[in-house]
């Protein structure tokens, strides 16, 4: 008898961590590995935030916080949402969580009944489909390709909504494609959703500070949408604070209550030192030099990597407008082999590239698109140049 639950037996390990661990293991064995796997900024946390955390330790912020977070931290989130997004929220609508990951899970757990359909434009971030399935829901993909810049059309959305649709969950800026839904795109999507008033929107805006060719825009800013949208954000990407585990949800009151109830039973209020430091972070505008410098560095890497990728024949690559990922289509190489190993999926390609050229990426299968692989450019320009050279060699040597 297998004691592990059926749902967990059907689960997969997070492929982003699987591939970054593999890259780390090969490095530990002495190989010269270039890991373009994890979406993790390679910068230090801005000094003022570090100091706020040290101060919080000295001030003994060492007891349980309220379940949805300290009032001051939630007020700082409300101020941020007003300053950056022109959205008015009350602290009672905010729940500070252990990363945006938990914030998304809380919202999904609050709404998902077995058999409910949650639409996830594809490629999607690895954990969306797994979380939905774990909760007994059914992830419904809307396929996109490099030609449509990996964005769904309104008619695709209209055709996918059924009476069982509970929500649509997407990231914009998108992990893994780097695409970005503009204000106009979101207006059209909202017009469609207005015909389906029971469908909730879960808008994952964790890469909000990394939009290079436009202004960030949240669907909740569109009239009539805030009351049916859960906005998800956090400090991991914009502030290089992945390990601090600080994310949040901003929800309509009825949903915020359910989210708080779940968090209160599952994890309680998140780390108090991180919550105190978050107050300082949230008061920093994206124009603050330490924040703006990170974005400028990512933008320079984006341009560099695009130039290099474009020069490699056979790769189909879009120029991402945001985040720090490329999601090239490698299907032109399916059927070819390296060291007698035939490549028939993005995952095979990604594994071949790691094992033979020691360049880490994440295969597209777990993002819902087997034709692609994901490169994170949250690493130095030198490593990007060397990584792309090895990628080009790998492709040239395929037989
Ligand atoms: N959403 C997306 C789209 C992500 O790429 C990530 C990766 N970190 C998360 C959510 C989770 O972020 P956090 O570190 O805040 O849990
Ligand atoms: N979000 C990052 C990524 O996609 C970190 C890993 C994870 O949370 O899955 O690489």
């Amino acid at each position: 008898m297998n004691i592990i639950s059926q749902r967990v037996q059907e689960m997969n390990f997070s492929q982003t961590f699987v591939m970054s661990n593999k890259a780390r293991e090969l490095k530990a064995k002495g190989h010269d590995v270039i890991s373009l796997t994890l979406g993790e900024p390679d910068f230090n946390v801005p000094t003022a935030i570090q100091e706020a955390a040290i101060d919080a330790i000295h001030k003994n912020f060492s007891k349980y916080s309220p379940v949805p977070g300290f009032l001051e931290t939630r007020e700082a989130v409300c101020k941020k949402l007003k300053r950056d997004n022109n959205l008015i929220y009350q602290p009672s609508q905010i729940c500070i969580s252990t990363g945006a990951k938990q914030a998304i899970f809380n919202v999904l757990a609050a709404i998902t009944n077995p058999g409910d359909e949650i639409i996830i434009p594809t490629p999607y971030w690895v954990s969306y489909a797994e979380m939905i399935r774990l909760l007994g829901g059914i992830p419904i993909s809307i396929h996109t390709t490099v030609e449509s810049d990996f964005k769904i059309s309104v008619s695709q959305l209209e055709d996918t909504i059924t009476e069982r649709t509970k929500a649509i969950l997407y990231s914009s800026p998108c992990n893994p494609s780097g695409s970005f839904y503009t204000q106009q795109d979101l207006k059209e999507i909202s017009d469609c959703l207005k015909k389906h008033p029971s469908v909730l929107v879960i808008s994952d805006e964790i890469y909000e500070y990394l939009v290079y060719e436009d202004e960030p825009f949240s669907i909740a800013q569109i009239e009539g949408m805030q009351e049916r949208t859960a906005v998800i954000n956090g400090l991991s990407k914009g502030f290089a604070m992945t390990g601090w585990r600080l994310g949040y949800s901003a929800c309509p009151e009825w949903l915020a209550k359910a989210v708080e109830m779940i968090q209160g039973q599952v994890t309680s209020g998140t780390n108090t030192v991180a919550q105190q430091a978050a107050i300082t972070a949230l008061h920093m505008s994206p124009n603050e030099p330490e924040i703006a410098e990170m974005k400028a560095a990512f933008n320079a890497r984006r341009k560099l990597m695009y130039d290099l990728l474009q020069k490699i024949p056979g790769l189909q690559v879009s120029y991402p407008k945001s985040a720090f990922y490329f999601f090239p289509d490698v299907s032109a190489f399916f059927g070819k082999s390296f060291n007698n190993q035939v490549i028939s999926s993005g995952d095979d390609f990604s594994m071949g590239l790691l094992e033979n050229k020691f360049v880490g990426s994440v295969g597209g299968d777990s993002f819902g698109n087997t034709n692609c692989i994901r490169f994170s450019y949250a690493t130095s320009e030198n490593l990007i140049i060397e990584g792309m050279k090895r990628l080009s060699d790998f492709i040239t040597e395929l037989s």
Side-chain angles (χ1 to χ4, degrees), residues 99-101 104 125 128 171 175 204 206-207 236-237 245 325:
K101 204 172 229 174
I104 297 164
W125 179 46
Y128 293 165
S171 59
N175 176 4
D204 181 349
I206 186 93
Y207 296 92
S236 285
K237 312 295 167 166
R245 311 307 303 127
Y325 304 105

Side-chain angles (χ1 to χ4, degrees), residues 336-343 351-352 355-356 398:
K336 298 196 172 228
S337 32
F338 201 103
N339 288 343
N340 294 325
Q341 277 185 311
V342 181
I343 294 173
M351 199 55 88
E355 286 174 351
N356 295 290
L398 290 174

